[in-house]
Amino acid sequence: MAGKRRSGNVVKMKRKNAKFTGAFLVLFAIYVLFQGVMSMTRENVSIYEVTEKKIADDNLVRGIILRNEKLVTSDQEGYINYYVADGTKVGARTKIYSIDQTGQIYEKLSGTQTGEVKLTSQNTSDIRSEIAAYRAAYSTSHFEEIYSFKYNLDNTISELTNARLLDNVTQILKEQGSQGSFQFGSAGESGIISYTSDGLEALDMNQITSKTFESTSDETKQLRQTESVKAGTPIYRLVTNESWSVVFPLSKEQFKNIQQDKTVTVTLKKIQAKVTPQVTTFTMDGGYYARIDLKRYMIQYINNRYIDLEIKMNDEAGLKIPRSSILKKKFYKIPEEYVVNTQKGEGVLAVTFKKDGTPEYTARYPQILKLTEKVKNSDGEMVDETTCYISADAFDAGSEIADDTAGTNKLALTELAELDGVYCCNKGYCEFRPIQIAYQNNEYSIIKKDTSGGLSAYDHIILDPKVIREDDIIY
């Protein structure tokens, strides 16, 4: 019937347990709070990506130069003119200077015009080289070198007029005839001319002490005179050999590193030239020193007594890792024949005993490392030798392993070794990987790339293994 009200079954819904829901929410809140507190108090785990690089320690040192050199003095009084530029190689008969006792030739020479001097491309290049060399070696700690720069620049420019000046003197003497009061001075022996002096021309290895390096600034005196000189006055310096030596102080660590190599790569900072000389190390007055002998570039340093060097030590290529990531783990050292192959892979046969005393041999699968190292054989030759290691965590000291299931040979695990390694986390958990260090400095280590079971480029490792343990999961 249309007007009749419907009726049906009414299903009553059970109310949820409010106490249970409240307890669940409280426990969940406590869990979230606990995790938050733990995350704030837990030490952060930093991860480093392994890279393939080269490390070379560049050590800056300042040394003192030793040369075969001598000061040449004037044997008479008079007015002086120079005809050779600083740094010029001369022969025994080369006219270096002239002395005019009366000053007559000197005055005529002063009044003679040298004419217009045109710069050649080589002249321009020389001037630019002087400026570039000064800029490259500029240091606020050696500001006094600006005077040497000015001297070198003046010398380069004056070199342009020397040849013209000598021609003028020759012409004046030809016009007036021989003058007894006028005399040329020649070198007397071949060498290289310099017009500076620092008073250390006679310095040799026997005179060097630790005090030699207390002051390492060039303090030079200009020898080139502009007017008259007295007899006995130093008028130039002659370097008779292009071979030269540099002696420099070292730290104890630098001394130790250099002793490992017979040669080192050295950069001469002022001219940015690289050389590979033999190096001799020695100790003196409780300090550490080295000496290198060079046969090139002496002319560029002819007016310097001190020199800045950059010495490259320990040039090694491989995988670069931070030193902070390295830890040590204990392993038992075993012969390679005790590593057996099974269907599950490489393992060792642990020796155990039944109740009746019968031995049984059970395959175990601890971490196994095979490291190849260079060792001397009985003939004194360096050969490759492979040594196997098994994790000491897997066995008690004194446990035995066998080389086959028949127990033909047995070995007690007693020889422990601590191996360097890192925690690799490529798989989401900490896994010990062995490393073989080729070189390390204060911050980084270079490790070999071909270590069995070791690292490869782009592997991820734990930066600080102290904050985590092996097999821990990385969140």
Side-chain angles (χ1 to χ4, degrees):
M1 293 175 30
K4 191 173 180 178
R5 188 175 181 181
R6 290 189 191 181
S7 63
N9 295 328
V10 177
V11 179
K12 292 184 178 181
M13 301 295 293
K14 292 183 178 181
R15 290 186 178 182
K16 292 182 179 180
N17 192 331
K19 292 183 179 180
F20 175 79
T21 304
F24 174 78
L25 292 175
V26 170
L27 289 175
F28 180 75
I30 293 174
Y31 173 77
V32 171
L33 180 62
F34 175 77
Q35 290 295 327
V37 172
M38 288 296 294
S39 64
M40 288 187 291
T41 57
R42 183 187 302 152
E43 293 188 74
N44 292 326
V45 177
S46 300
I47 296 174
Y48 177 87
E49 184 176 81
V50 179
T51 56
E52 186 172 347
K53 286 192 177 181
K54 178 186 286 188
I55 281 185
D57 287 340
D58 294 329
N59 297 268
L60 295 176
V61 297
R62 189 164 174 85
I64 190 167
I65 296 172
L66 304 179
R67 292 177 287 247
N68 294 320
E69 57 190 340
K70 64 179 182 179
L71 288 179
V72 178
T73 60
S74 173
D75 56 3
Q76 56 183 315
E77 185 176 351
Y79 295 86
I80 189 169
N81 278 311
Y82 295 93
Y83 308 107
V84 174
D86 192 292
T88 302
K89 295 181 181 180
V90 298
R93 297 183 179 181
T94 302
K95 292 182 176 66
I96 309 299
Y97 67 98
S98 64
I99 294 289
D100 183 8
Q101 291 179 309
T102 63
Q104 295 178 2
I105 303 295
Y106 179 84
E107 287 184 8
K108 288 188 176 183
L109 195 61
S110 299
T112 303
Q113 297 294 325
T114 57
E116 183 180 350
V117 177
K118 294 184 178 180
L119 296 178
T120 65
S121 58
Q122 182 60 47
N123 298 146
T124 305
S125 176
D126 291 342
I127 294 173
R128 286 177 175 173
S129 295
E130 288 291 348
I131 297 173
Y134 172 72
R135 291 181 63 182
Y138 176 77
S139 170
T140 54
S141 60
H142 300 294
F143 183 76
E144 72 281 352
E145 291 185 0
I146 192 172
Y147 300 106
S148 297
F149 164 67
K150 179 179 181 301
Y151 171 79
N152 293 336
L153 200 58
D154 289 342
N155 181 73
T156 301
I157 296 173
S158 67
E159 184 178 359
L160 304 176
T161 63
N162 286 335
R164 192 75 58 86
L165 187 63
L166 184 58
D167 290 341
N168 290 341
V169 171
T170 303
Q171 183 63 33
I172 292 173
L173 291 175
K174 186 177 181 180
E175 293 174 357
Q176 293 191 356
S178 179
Q179 297 285 332
S181 60
F182 185 90
Q183 182 180 352
F184 282 111
S186 59
E189 58 181 311
S190 60
I192 303 164
I193 296 297
S194 170
Y195 295 113
T196 65
S197 170
D198 58 10
L200 298 175
E201 289 77 20
L203 184 68
D204 59 25
M205 280 294 298
N206 296 326
Q207 296 173 310
I208 290 181
T209 66
S210 57
K211 293 183 178 180
T212 304
F213 302 95
E214 291 180 356
S215 176
T216 57
S217 298
D218 286 320
E219 298 179 1
T220 57
K221 174 184 178 183
Q222 304 300 327
L223 300 178
R224 191 197 297 264
Q225 305 294 324
T226 56
E227 294 185 355
S228 63
V229 297
K230 295 181 179 181
T233 301
I235 52 177
Y236 70 90
R237 177 165 54 95
L238 183 67
V239 181
T240 57
N241 197 315
E242 289 193 56
S243 296
W244 54 306
S245 301
V246 180
V247 180
F248 47 92
L250 297 170
S251 67
K252 186 176 182 179
E253 184 177 356
Q254 291 171 334
F255 183 81
K256 182 180 179 181
N257 289 336
I258 285 184
Q259 279 188 312
Q260 297 175 359
D261 300 313
K262 293 182 179 179
T263 60
V264 292
T265 299
V266 178
T267 300
L268 311 181
K269 291 291 289 180
K270 185 174 80 170
I271 60 175
Q272 290 298 302
K274 290 187 178 181
V275 293
T276 310
Q278 287 193 336
V279 58
T280 303
T281 56
F282 61 97
T283 58
M284 176 179 61
D285 299 334
Y288 302 93
Y289 300 87
R291 167 180 169 161
I292 56 174
D293 298 316
L294 306 170
K295 295 183 178 180
R296 300 173 58 195
Y297 305 117
M298 191 279 296
I299 293 179
Q300 285 86 337
Y301 286 92
I302 193 169
N303 292 317
N304 295 108
R305 180 61 59 185
Y306 298 96
I307 178 174
D308 290 317
L309 305 174
E310 184 178 86
I311 304 175
K312 183 169 289 187
M313 301 179 186
N314 306 308
D315 194 354
E316 291 285 350
L319 301 176
K320 180 183 176 184
I321 63 172
R323 287 190 65 173
S324 64
S325 66
I326 299 174
L327 71 151
K328 291 185 180 292
K329 182 179 177 181
K330 291 182 179 180
F331 287 81
Y332 288 114
K333 185 176 181 180
I334 65 173
E336 191 173 9
E337 56 266 25
Y338 281 87
V339 177
V340 297
N341 290 306
T342 70
Q343 291 182 347
K344 292 184 179 181
E346 288 188 328
V348 293
L349 296 174
V351 180
T352 57
F353 295 92
K354 299 179 181 179
K355 291 182 178 180
D356 60 1
T358 305
E360 61 180 351
Y361 308 97
T362 307
R364 301 265 293 271
Y365 302 94
Q367 184 177 16
I368 300 175
L369 305 178
K370 293 182 179 180
L371 302 182
T372 301
E373 298 173 321
K374 292 284 186 183
V375 296
K376 282 187 179 181
N377 61 14
S378 57
D379 297 326
E381 299 175 341
M382 299 300 292
V383 296
D384 288 335
E385 181 179 270
T386 300
T387 304
C388 292
Y389 300 88
I390 59 174
S391 176
D393 297 338
F395 295 91
D396 293 329
S399 299
E400 288 188 326
I401 59 175
D403 61 352
D404 56 32
T405 55
T408 306
N409 294 297
K410 298 176 184 177
L411 174 72
L413 300 177
T414 57
E415 187 176 357
L416 277 172
E418 282 192 327
L419 300 184
D420 291 319
V422 297
Y423 283 151
C424 181
C425 55
N426 291 347
K427 300 175 183 178
Y429 63 90
C430 291
E431 179 186 15
F432 181 85
R433 296 279 187 90
I435 61 171
Q436 291 174 292
I437 300 172
Y439 166 72
Q440 62 185 7
N441 58 23
N442 292 332
E443 296 182 10
Y444 292 95
S445 296
I446 290 293
I447 63 174
K448 297 179 180 179
K449 296 185 291 184
D450 54 355
T451 300
S452 176
L455 294 175
S456 301
Y458 309 113
D459 280 346
H460 291 86
I461 62 175
I462 302 300
L463 189 61
D464 184 5
K466 295 177 182 178
V467 302
I468 203 164
R469 294 173 298 179
E470 189 173 5
D471 296 327
D472 278 359
I473 295 175
I474 307 299
Y475 293 98

